Amino acid sequence: MLPAPTAESKDYWTGGRNGELLVHRCHTCNKFFLPGAPACWRCQSTDVAPEPVSGRGTVAAYTVNRQTWIPAFPPPYTVALIELADQPDTRVVSNIVDIDPADVTVGLEVEVFFEEWEDVWIPLFRPVKESN
Ligand SMILES: [Zn+2]
């Protein structure tokens, strides 16, 4: 069930080694895009490279999964579409953890953290902790 990184998605799955969520960015139109690809889907530029993003975002949509797909995540757990704070039209699908699935809402502010599994650093999201 582990993701098999390709040349284009390798950075996304291994940036967590350095605590970074790496997302491809086009240097022609300056937009982030996912999934990583050799060319920007907006402007077809091939001047693209992965860059670290803030790792902050908000839940745009979510579903509560009640079946076991990944042994590490016993159900129920929340799978969400997360809009990155860096660029709201760039969305990541991931799990929301450290929160009861019943308490997840659209607009919930979340932040990335990583779980290492056999040389893959899986980006997961949890609610942003209030700083004081
Ligand atoms: Zn572009």
Side-chain angles (χ1 to χ4, degrees):
M1 290 307 294
L2 286 175
T6 62
E8 275 74 43
S9 70
K10 175 175 66 63
D11 302 285
Y12 180 81
W13 295 114
T14 58
R17 188 198 317 255
N18 300 316
E20 292 179 331
L21 182 63
L22 296 175
V23 176
H24 267 60
R25 186 174 210 171
C26 172
H27 294 144
T28 301
C29 67
N30 278 322
K31 298 277 194 179
F32 288 105
F33 61 96
L34 279 168
C40 171
W41 59 261
R42 288 185 179 85
C43 70
Q44 277 73 54
S45 169
T46 54
D47 184 10
V48 300
E51 284 186 18
V53 295
S54 68
R56 300 283 286 258
T58 56
V59 172
Y62 65 95
T63 182
V64 178
N65 202 324
R66 300 185 187 282
Q67 280 184 288
T68 299
W69 296 106
I70 306 173
F73 298 110
Y77 61 90
T78 308
V79 180
L81 193 60
I82 298 141
E83 289 190 342
L84 296 182
D86 307 80
Q87 185 181 299
D89 66 358
T90 302
R91 296 175 167 190
V92 178
V93 176
S94 185
N95 290 13
I96 306 290
V97 301
D98 289 354
I99 183 171
D100 189 312
D103 293 334
V104 174
T105 56
V106 168
L108 178 73
E109 288 189 59
V110 293
E111 63 186 3
V112 75
F113 71 103
F114 300 92
E115 274 200 11
E116 184 189 351
W117 287 82
E118 299 171 14
D119 294 331
V120 172
W121 279 259
I122 300 179
L124 299 172
F125 287 78
R126 60 191 170 202
V128 172
K129 301 265 194 301
E130 299 300 333
S131 53
N132 50 21

